[in-house]
Amino acid sequence: MAGTPTEAAAADSGTVSASVGDRVEGVATVTLSRPEARNALDAELRADLIAVFEAVADDDAVRVVVVTGDDEGGAFVAGADVTELRERDALEQRAASERPRVFEHVADCPKPVIARVNGHALGGGLELAMACDVRIAAEGGKLGQPEINLGIIPGGGGTQRLPRLVGTGQAMKLICSGELLDATTAAEMGIVEEAYPASELDDRVYDLAGSMAEKSPVALEFAKTAVNASERMDLEAGIDYEAELFAQLFATADKDEGIDAFLEDREPEWEGR
C-alpha cells in the first residue's frame, strides 16, 4: 500500500514509480519506466511525472528528489516520443508546448532535484536533466540535443538552459550540429556536475542527496529559490533578493534550532518551519 503522497501519486502509474526513504531518509527516488522505448517521454509518462511532482511539493516526508531512468531501459531518457511529434501540426504543438510542462514542474519543484543520469540523455531527456538542479551521470552514457537531425530544434528549454550551463558558443555548436557527448566530456563542459563509473553512481548520488536531506527543509527551499533567481536577475537585484530571503529565515523555528544545535554541539532537529 502506498505510504507517502508521492508514493500514492505514482501507485497507479504505468510509467513512473516512486519510493521515499528506501535508500536515504527524506529522499524520494522517482523512476521513469518505458523500457521498450528507452524511457522516451510520451504523453502518458509526462502526465504521470507531473502528477508525482505535484505530490512531492506538498509531501513532508520528502526533502530531496532523485530522478532516474529505469535501468532496464538502458537510458535516462532517450528523448521525446518521435511518433507523437510526427503526428502533430503547428497548432497542436503550440498547445502541447503551453506551460507549465513537465520541465517546469521539475524545475519549479520547491525541493532540490538530482538527476541520476544512468545512461543516454538525449533531446527531451537532456532537457529534463537540465531542468533538475544537479546532474550526476554514469560514464558511458551519451548526452546531447540531436533534434536538428529531425529538422526541428530543442523545444523543452534546451536552447535556454544549455547556454546557461556551457556558454553560448558551446551550446550553439551542440544544438546546431546535433553532436553527442560522452558523460565524462559533458562533466568537463559543465552539462553535468560529475560523472562516475556505473558501479559508483548510486553511492555518489545518494551520498549527495543524503547530505542535502539532513538540512532544514525551509532553508533548502530558500536556498534553491535564491540560486535560481541568479539566472533571472541582475547582480544588484539578486543580492537584494538574497538578503530578503535571508532575513525571512530569521522568523523560522529552524533558524533558532540550527544555531542552538551548533552552540550546544549537537545534531539539529528540524521542524520545517
Side-chain angles (χ1 to χ4, degrees):
M1 183 175 179
T4 75
T6 298
E7 291 168 328
D12 296 327
S13 168
T15 64
V16 177
S17 63
S19 62
V20 177
D22 281 1
R23 300 230 7 164
V24 181
E25 184 177 355
V27 176
T29 299
V30 177
T31 303
L32 316 182
S33 182
R34 289 188 69 215
E36 74 286 354
R38 302 178 75 194
N39 303 327
L41 295 173
D42 69 348
E44 181 184 5
L45 193 156
R46 293 195 304 273
D48 289 346
L49 188 55
I50 287 170
V52 169
F53 266 87
E54 287 177 339
V56 161
D58 297 320
D59 192 338
D60 292 338
V62 177
R63 295 185 182 179
V64 178
V65 184
V66 172
V67 177
T68 186
D70 187 328
D71 288 331
E72 185 181 346
F76 174 69
V77 173
D81 191 303
V82 177
T83 302
E84 286 187 349
L85 300 181
R86 180 63 183 86
E87 293 172 351
R88 291 180 190 147
D89 61 24
L91 290 176
E92 291 168 334
Q93 183 55 53
R94 190 169 286 117
S97 294
E98 289 182 359
R99 297 190 293 170
R101 303 162 299 177
V102 65
F103 309 104
E104 286 79 37
H105 279 275
V106 171
D108 295 341
C109 178
K111 301 168 185 184
V113 182
I114 299 172
R116 174 186 177 269
V117 184
N118 57 309
H120 295 347
L122 307 176
L126 181 55
E127 289 174 310
L128 181 64
M130 290 192 294
C132 298
D133 301 305
V134 180
R135 291 153 291 281
I136 310 295
E139 294 175 356
K142 296 288 187 181
L143 297 90
Q145 301 284 174
E147 290 91 341
I148 200 78
N149 297 320
L150 303 178
I152 55 177
I153 66 172
T159 65
Q160 304 305 302
R161 290 193 171 97
L162 189 56
R164 286 169 166 81
L165 291 174
V166 302
T168 301
Q170 291 284 19
M172 193 74 74
K173 180 182 73 172
L174 293 170
I175 289 170
C176 290
S177 70
E179 178 183 357
L180 304 184
L181 304 174
D182 62 74
T184 302
T185 303
E188 292 170 353
M189 289 181 63
I191 299 175
V192 301
E193 277 60 57
E194 300 169 2
Y196 286 87
S199 61
E200 300 175 18
L201 183 64
D202 279 345
D203 286 344
R204 176 55 182 150
V205 166
Y206 287 100
D207 282 349
L208 178 61
S211 71
M212 293 179 178
E214 292 173 352
K215 309 304 189 289
S216 157
V218 65
L220 284 175
E221 180 177 352
F222 277 43
K224 175 170 177 173
T225 299
V227 172
N228 283 342
S230 69
E231 296 184 348
R232 302 178 176 92
M233 296 181 174
D234 62 39
L235 180 60
E236 291 302 317
I239 288 174
D240 287 343
Y241 186 54
E242 176 193 79
E244 174 57 28
L245 293 174
F246 183 68
Q248 289 180 22
L249 286 168
F250 279 64
T252 67
D254 277 1
K255 169 261 182 182
D256 291 338
E257 170 61 13
I259 293 176
D260 289 347
F262 175 79
L263 295 174
E264 296 165 12
D265 193 25
R266 61 174 175 81
E267 293 298 318
E269 297 180 5
W270 307 117
E271 297 182 29
R273 61 180 182 85

